[in-house]
């Protein structure tokens, strides 16, 4: 079975608020999502907010167009990468890939 692929496109993202908004849209996060790093980490590993078929197949989040954000906000990007890596490390059905 092939995992469910979700694209997180960061084109035009200039700050953490923009990044969180993109995560909400791409991952279809609920209205109560806290829009902070801890909430993102929790949501990435919470099967109740994943797309239905991802729970059985696994979830691959492909992050596109991340370089401008990484260049503009390197400290925020470092935290985002840590959140992605930590979540993927805790959840074996989750993979996060940076599109090169």
């Amino acid at each position: 079975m092939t995992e469910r692929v979700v694209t997180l496109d960061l084109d035009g993202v200039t700050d953490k608020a923009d990044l969180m908004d993109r995560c909400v849209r791409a991952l279809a996060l609920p209205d109560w999502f806290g829009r902070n790093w801890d909430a993102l980490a929790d949501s990435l590993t919470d099967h109740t907010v994943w797309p239905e078929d991802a729970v059985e197949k696994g979830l691959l989040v492909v992050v596109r167009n991340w370089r401008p954000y990484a260049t503009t906000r390197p400290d925020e990007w470092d935290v985002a990468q840590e959140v992605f890596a930590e979540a993927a490390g805790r959840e074996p059905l989750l993979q996060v890939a940076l599109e090169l």
Side-chain angles (χ1 to χ4, degrees):
M1 233 186 264
T2 304
E3 67 268 334
R4 171 70 183 268
V5 178
V6 173
T7 301
L8 175 58
D9 191 345
L10 301 186
D11 185 42
V13 168
T14 59
D15 60 19
K16 179 182 169 188
D18 287 345
L19 173 67
M20 294 297 163
D21 288 344
R22 294 294 173 91
C23 289
V24 166
R25 287 197 299 269
L27 300 168
L29 297 176
D31 291 338
W32 48 262
F33 173 70
R35 286 182 162 76
N36 61 57
W37 298 120
D38 289 336
L40 180 58
D42 291 344
S43 294
L44 287 168
T45 59
D46 182 352
H47 292 188
T48 66
V49 299
W50 282 18
E52 278 186 40
D53 57 343
V55 176
E56 294 176 9
K57 297 178 178 181
L59 180 62
L60 170 60
V61 178
V62 178
V63 184
R64 299 180 65 219
N65 299 311
W66 54 271
R67 283 187 182 96
Y69 176 58
T71 301
T72 305
R73 300 283 188 146
D75 292 342
E76 288 179 14
W77 179 242
D78 286 346
V79 174
Q81 288 183 95
E82 288 174 22
V83 168
F84 294 143
E86 179 185 318
R90 287 189 313 180
E91 174 50 63
L93 293 174
L94 173 68
Q95 295 180 48
V96 180
L98 302 181
E99 184 178 85
L100 299 178

